[in-house]
Amino acid sequence: MPPLLDCHVIQVVVPANVDWPSGVTQAVVSLTQAVQEFLSRDATAPILVNVLCANDSSDSEVVTESMIEACRGFVQSVALEVPSSRCTLVISTLDQVQDREKTAVLFQGPTGGYIAGSTFDLRVRP
Amino acid sequence: MSVIVTGACGGIGRAIADAFMASGSRVIGQDLMPPADPAKFAGWISGDILSEATQRALAEASAETRLDVLVLAHGIAGSGAISTIESKTVRRIMEIDFESCVATTDVLASALRVENGSLVVVSSQAGLVGEANNSIYCAAKFALIGWLRSTHWDGIRPRALCPGVTDTPLLQRALQGMSDAEGVPYEAVVQRRRDRTTVGRLGHPSDMAAAALWLAGLATPGLVVAPVTGGEVVY
């Protein structure tokens, strides 16, 4: 395997019982703090944001989609504001471990350098 | 028609309220403070949109009359560098620009549903594509789209108005924030935004008012997302 870039990875887990709508706000606050910490440590490394959804989010569709969209707007903005971050969003369900890992390998690898500000929604659709 | 407009003292909110009044509608306005001419409105509610008192007043106002259109035009600017924005500011922007829209709609949904009314949410072009030095505002405005798209509205016609750069005090504050964050003169920031449109000008509040009237009048039941951006954001 080719060497992977050092990369900041942030996990945003959409819990089963999240306060609505304040849970979306809390997710953005936590995301902001995580990015700020990474930037203070190394402002040149890429940033990958993983949003992890429940395997079945049909009962919490509004919360899940609102949280995903908030993260997507945030990620796009950071990618524009901090170009070296190439900040990118990956959306997946908890059980999609291998697809998530393959995506991270692409993003951090030598052929992933043109990925910036993207959203990759890996979720299985009915 | 009977209309409630939140943020009715803001540049876009007031233009929307005026346009509905000019079309013969009865408009109840809401904002932090009353306008200079509150008598023009059928009713006025002063207060913080986040406060229970304001939410109660809105519910009472809708109970006293039919509600055909709810326009959520309130909001605060959210520009600033991601590396330095404080958590309390992040929370405030999200609470006003996202959470309060959900809460206000929850309070007024029953009244809207009676008339198969329209919910017109003023999001932003920043709710469609990200903007540097505006990450939290984008998060809030994107979240509005996610909420509108994924909710089962059942008898309410949802609409998202996504204005581009519109010459209002809110925009001026947002551009000042970007100017401060980037260390670029304010006039240069304005010109840069003007240059990014294909029509060569900033938007007027009247552009957004016309779009809001059109959106409220559409019969289609599903979500309509309406970018009005002068070509700066093509979506």
Side-chain angles (χ1 to χ4, degrees):
Chain A
M1 178 170 326
L4 300 180
L5 295 172
D6 284 337
C7 176
H8 301 307
V9 180
I10 303 170
Q11 310 265 63
V12 177
V13 180
V14 182
N17 297 307
V18 59
D19 289 335
W20 169 255
S22 60
V24 178
T25 295
Q26 186 52 48
V28 175
V29 170
S30 298
L31 194 49
T32 303
Q33 290 171 340
V35 167
Q36 288 174 332
E37 199 217 320
F38 286 147
L39 292 178
S40 70
R41 277 201 262 138
D42 179 0
T44 63
I47 298 176
L48 190 66
V49 178
N50 272 317
V51 173
L52 303 178
C53 308
N55 293 343
D56 178 4
S57 58
S58 53
D59 285 345
S60 58
E61 184 182 359
V62 177
V63 174
T64 300
E65 295 307 316
S66 299
M67 198 172 284
I68 285 170
E69 285 302 303
C71 291
R72 198 160 70 88
F74 180 92
V75 161
Q76 287 188 6
S77 298
V78 172
L80 292 171
E81 186 177 336
V82 188
S84 59
S85 75
R86 295 194 287 120
C87 197
T88 286
L89 181 69
V90 179
I91 306 160
S92 62
T93 49
L94 290 166
D95 58 353
Q96 292 182 291
V97 177
Q98 289 189 343
D99 278 357
R100 212 161 33 242
E101 286 177 351
K102 289 176 185 175
T103 309
V105 167
L106 171 67
F107 182 70
Q108 294 172 247
T111 58
Y114 207 63
I115 298 169
S118 298
T119 296
F120 299 133
D121 191 339
L122 308 178
R123 291 175 292 174
V124 175
R125 302 293 188 196
Chain B
M1 282 200 299
S2 189
V3 183
I4 289 178
V5 180
T6 66
C9 280
I12 291 177
R14 183 55 197 251
I16 291 174
D18 284 344
F20 273 107
M21 286 191 272
S23 74
S25 294
R26 191 175 168 279
V27 178
I28 296 171
Q30 176 280 332
D31 214 311
L32 276 173
M33 300 292 289
D37 54 354
K40 280 191 72 177
F41 289 81
W44 186 267
I45 297 165
S46 287
D48 187 335
I49 194 71
L50 291 174
S51 77
E52 283 186 20
T54 300
Q55 295 290 320
R56 210 163 32 243
L58 286 166
E60 286 166 4
S62 73
E64 291 164 6
T65 181
R66 59 185 286 165
L67 182 58
D68 298 288
V69 184
L70 172 60
V71 179
L72 301 178
H74 64 274
I76 58 172
S79 56
I82 187 61
S83 56
T84 54
I85 194 165
E86 295 183 348
S87 291
K88 65 180 180 188
T89 304
V90 174
R91 202 172 290 280
R92 179 95 178 137
I93 294 165
M94 289 296 296
E95 284 173 351
I96 293 175
D97 290 356
F98 170 62
E99 288 191 44
S100 71
C101 292
V102 175
T104 305
T105 303
D106 283 349
V107 163
L108 296 172
S110 299
L112 262 184
R113 208 162 265 129
V114 169
E115 307 294 341
N116 186 218
S118 291
L119 169 65
V120 180
V121 177
V122 182
S123 176
S124 170
Q125 70 178 12
L128 303 175
V129 292
E131 296 182 353
N133 297 300
N134 216 12
S135 53
I136 310 307
Y137 187 78
C138 288
K141 294 299 186 178
F142 267 72
L144 287 176
I145 303 293
W147 163 61
L148 286 167
R149 191 169 278 140
S150 60
T151 298
H152 298 291
W153 288 103
D154 293 334
I156 294 173
R157 291 171 285 140
R159 313 282 182 247
L161 174 60
C162 299
V165 277
T166 309
D167 199 5
T168 65
L170 179 67
L171 172 77
Q172 289 153 20
R173 283 194 293 275
L175 295 183
Q176 186 62 62
M178 291 178 191
S179 165
D180 294 343
E182 297 174 35
V184 171
Y186 177 81
E187 285 67 29
V189 175
V190 173
Q191 185 61 46
R192 189 172 67 194
R193 296 308 294 268
R194 195 181 289 127
D195 289 347
R196 277 165 32 179
T197 69
T198 57
V199 300
R201 64 171 177 91
L202 301 187
H204 300 307
S206 58
D207 296 324
M208 307 312 150
L213 246 68
W214 160 69
L215 282 169
L218 292 173
T220 185
L223 173 64
V224 178
V225 178
V228 183
T229 70
E232 179 179 356
V233 166
V234 289
Y235 186 89

